[in-house]
């Protein structure tokens, strides 16, 4: 990470634009979250109403297949609308691609709503980050900011999108500095702070201001437990490297299906995910209900944890290959919570009673697996801490994320958005 200082500026116009545009990002992001919550509630009601028997299988299969095909068709009409969009934001920052804001907003909003709402294992953060950056691009052009400030605003408002998606303003700031730009620029930091704060304040009018995954009051584990969390971070980093390879490998395998139309491929993937949903609704969707259950201390057997982990480990990359709008973060957080809870269940017989709780391992697992895949440890620590209010776990979080980062690097795993950006630029 490099440190750069911009030249002296004599106008606050860029900050005013960042504040106003950040408010719009918050309204769009909050509206997207509100619509998703209602879409997922509707999906749950439809699947429950289908009842047992053949209808109980055919309805979720048809629902997710149709949703995936429609979302894919929406995305195909707009450049870079498919997938997370974070790799495109990074490419624009590096001047490797151009921003395409005109039709990106409705494509990401409605395509992501249909894809995630119908049950694909995708996250809300990718579309909101991309929509935030698009709003920044339009705002910078309409306000006639100089090219340097317009570029900073584009990136800063992408961070505001992440902040609105997870109610995490500091997470949005670190995401911009650590992941997107990999630099600390004072003016960029200030613009991002203005944008993230404005976005979170405005999103609260729609989705409320509480933590996304509030956890019971946690006590900091004893210091000697840091060694356990260090080893746990190593396992999370290895798992993250495998997950990254599976995401890229699944995309490459689908690319070879040149004779199959994209919408047909998306429908087939949706049908598979819908069949999983017919077995258990927690096996499909972005993963928030599963994360909430684990972080609330909801007990699961080791067999159930293994089943959810195995199914969602494959269903996430498969859903991403459907070429619909949707991100990777939220499913990763659910996987991390599963891995942490499973690890605690396996090692607890070897530890003194009360040394650490399943909830503590779930929280640390969310940040550690995120780090193993994305390779942004500070973003992972702060994002998860803001989402859970688990400040007491600061040392375990830092320890595990350090180990996950080093392990994934040693395995030769490339950060996932580097892989996705290169793939995006290589495609015609």
């Amino acid at each position: 990470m490099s440190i750069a200082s911009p030249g002296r500026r004599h106008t606050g116009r860029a900050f005013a634009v960042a504040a106003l545009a950040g408010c719009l990002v918050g309204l769009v992001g909050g509206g997207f979250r509100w619509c998703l919550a209602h879409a997922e509630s509707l999906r749950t009601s439809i699947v429950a109403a289908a009842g047992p028997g053949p209808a109980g299988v055919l309805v979720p299969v048809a629902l997710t297949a149709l949703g995936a095909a429609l979302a894919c068709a929406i995305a195909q009409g707009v450049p870079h609308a498919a997938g997370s969009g974070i790799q495109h934001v990074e490419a624009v920052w590096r001047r490797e691609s151009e921003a395409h804001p005109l039709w990106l907003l409705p494509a990401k909003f409605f395509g992501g709503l249909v894809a995630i709402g119908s049950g694909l294992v995708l996250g809300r953060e990718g579309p909101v980050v991309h929509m935030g950056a698009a709003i920044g691009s339009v705002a910078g052009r309409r306000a006639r900011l100089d090219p340097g400030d317009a570029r900073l605003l584009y990136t800063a408002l992408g961070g505001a999108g992440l902040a609105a998606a997870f109610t995490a303003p500091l997470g949005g700031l670190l995401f911009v500095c650590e992941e997107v730009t990999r630099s600390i620029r004072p003016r960029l930091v200030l613009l991002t702070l203005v944008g993230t704060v404005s976005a979170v304040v405005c999103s609260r009018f729609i989705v409320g201001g509480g933590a996304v995954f509030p956890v019971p009051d946690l006590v900091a584990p004893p210091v000697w437990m840091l060694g356990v969390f260090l080893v746990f971070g190593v396992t999370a980093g290895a798992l993250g490297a495998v997950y990254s390879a599976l995401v890229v490998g699944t995309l490459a395998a689908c690319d070879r299906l040149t004779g199959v139309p994209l919408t047909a491929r998306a429908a087939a993937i949706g049908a598979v995910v819908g069949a999983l949903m017919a077995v258990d609704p927690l096996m499909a969707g972005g993963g928030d209900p599963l994360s909430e259950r684990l972080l609330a201390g909801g007990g699961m057997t080791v067999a159930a944890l293994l089943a959810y982990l195995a199914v969602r480990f494959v269903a996430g990359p498969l859903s991403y290959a459907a070429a619909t709008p949707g991100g990777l973060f939220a499913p990763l957080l659910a996987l991390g919570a599963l891995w942490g809870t499973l690890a605690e269940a396996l090692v607890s017989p070897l530890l003194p009673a009360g040394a650490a709780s399943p909830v503590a391992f779930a929280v640390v697992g969310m940040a550690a697996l995120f780090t193993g895949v994305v390779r942004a440890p500070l973003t992972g620590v702060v994002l998860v801490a803001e989402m859970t209010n688990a400040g007491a776990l600061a040392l375990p979080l830092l320890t595990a994320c350090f180990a996950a980062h080093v392990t994934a690097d040693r395995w030769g795993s490339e950060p996932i958005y580097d892989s996705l950006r290169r793939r995006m630029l290589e495609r015609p």
Side-chain angles (χ1 to χ4, degrees):
M1 184 176 290
S2 63
I3 300 179
S5 297
R8 185 179 300 274
R9 307 292 179 105
H10 300 283
T11 175
R13 185 172 56 168
F15 296 107
V17 174
L20 292 173
C23 290
L24 181 56
V25 172
L27 295 175
V28 170
F32 188 68
R33 286 174 60 179
W34 185 89
C35 290
L36 269 183
H38 284 75
E40 291 170 356
S41 177
L42 177 61
R43 182 188 76 225
T44 301
S45 300
I46 292 173
V47 172
V57 176
L58 293 176
V59 168
V61 167
L63 177 66
T64 312
L66 288 172
L70 177 58
C72 179
I74 292 172
Q76 296 317 302
V78 180
H80 307 300
S84 166
I86 291 175
Q87 65 270 29
H88 182 237
V89 174
E90 295 184 2
V92 172
W93 169 259
R94 290 165 174 77
R95 296 189 173 92
E96 298 169 341
S97 182
E98 297 294 328
H100 299 283
L102 184 59
W103 293 105
L104 190 64
L105 272 168
K108 279 289 187 179
F109 193 102
F110 294 107
L113 178 62
V114 172
I116 304 168
S118 65
L120 290 180
V121 185
L122 297 170
R124 63 181 177 269
E125 77 296 324
V128 183
V129 168
H130 212 179
M131 288 189 289
I135 290 170
S137 176
V138 173
R141 188 170 63 249
R142 294 290 177 87
R144 298 182 179 179
L145 298 182
D146 66 68
D149 271 352
R151 179 166 170 255
L152 294 178
L153 187 67
Y154 174 87
T155 309
L157 269 293
L162 184 68
F166 289 132
T167 316
L170 288 178
L173 170 64
L174 283 173
F175 168 75
V176 166
C177 295
E178 186 180 32
E179 171 58 29
V180 179
T181 69
R182 298 178 187 175
S183 63
I184 299 175
R185 303 171 181 236
R187 192 166 180 83
L188 174 63
V189 170
L190 293 174
L191 284 170
T192 305
L193 278 175
V194 170
T196 57
V197 170
S198 300
V200 170
V201 168
C202 288
S203 70
R204 285 182 172 182
F205 289 107
I206 301 175
V207 296
V212 176
F213 300 128
V215 300
D217 290 337
L218 295 172
V219 178
V223 174
W224 64 264
M225 275 291 294
L226 294 181
V228 177
F229 284 110
L230 185 72
V231 176
F232 172 65
V234 171
T235 67
L239 195 67
V242 176
Y243 190 81
S244 296
L246 189 58
V247 169
V248 176
T250 304
L251 288 170
C254 287
D255 285 344
R256 291 193 285 270
L257 301 175
T258 54
V260 181
L262 284 176
T263 51
R265 187 179 77 189
I269 291 172
V272 172
V273 175
L276 295 174
M277 184 165 57
V279 175
D280 187 337
L282 291 179
M283 290 184 175
D288 280 9
L290 182 57
S291 297
E292 289 171 2
R293 177 173 173 179
L294 295 170
L295 293 173
M300 285 190 186
T301 65
V302 170
L305 291 168
L306 280 170
Y308 284 125
L309 183 68
V311 168
R312 292 187 65 90
F313 198 87
V314 176
L318 186 63
S319 295
Y320 195 79
T324 68
L328 295 169
F329 281 19
L332 268 181
L333 296 175
L335 275 180
L338 282 167
W339 182 242
T341 307
L342 177 61
E344 192 278 337
L346 296 176
V347 304
S348 59
L350 308 176
L351 301 175
S357 67
V359 175
F361 270 87
V363 170
V364 174
M366 293 167 76
L369 187 60
F370 172 90
T371 298
V373 174
V374 180
R375 219 64 51 79
L378 291 179
T379 301
V381 168
V382 173
L383 184 68
V384 170
E386 286 186 297
M387 293 175 69
T388 61
N389 285 334
L393 299 178
L395 289 180
L397 283 165
L398 290 167
T399 301
C401 288
F402 162 78
H405 191 294
V406 172
T407 301
D409 274 348
R410 295 289 293 175
W411 274 43
S413 174
E414 186 178 32
I416 188 63
Y417 292 113
D418 287 357
S419 300
L420 294 177
R421 188 180 73 252
R422 188 179 62 253
R423 179 180 182 275
M424 178 192 76
L425 295 173
E426 289 173 351
R427 291 170 61 84

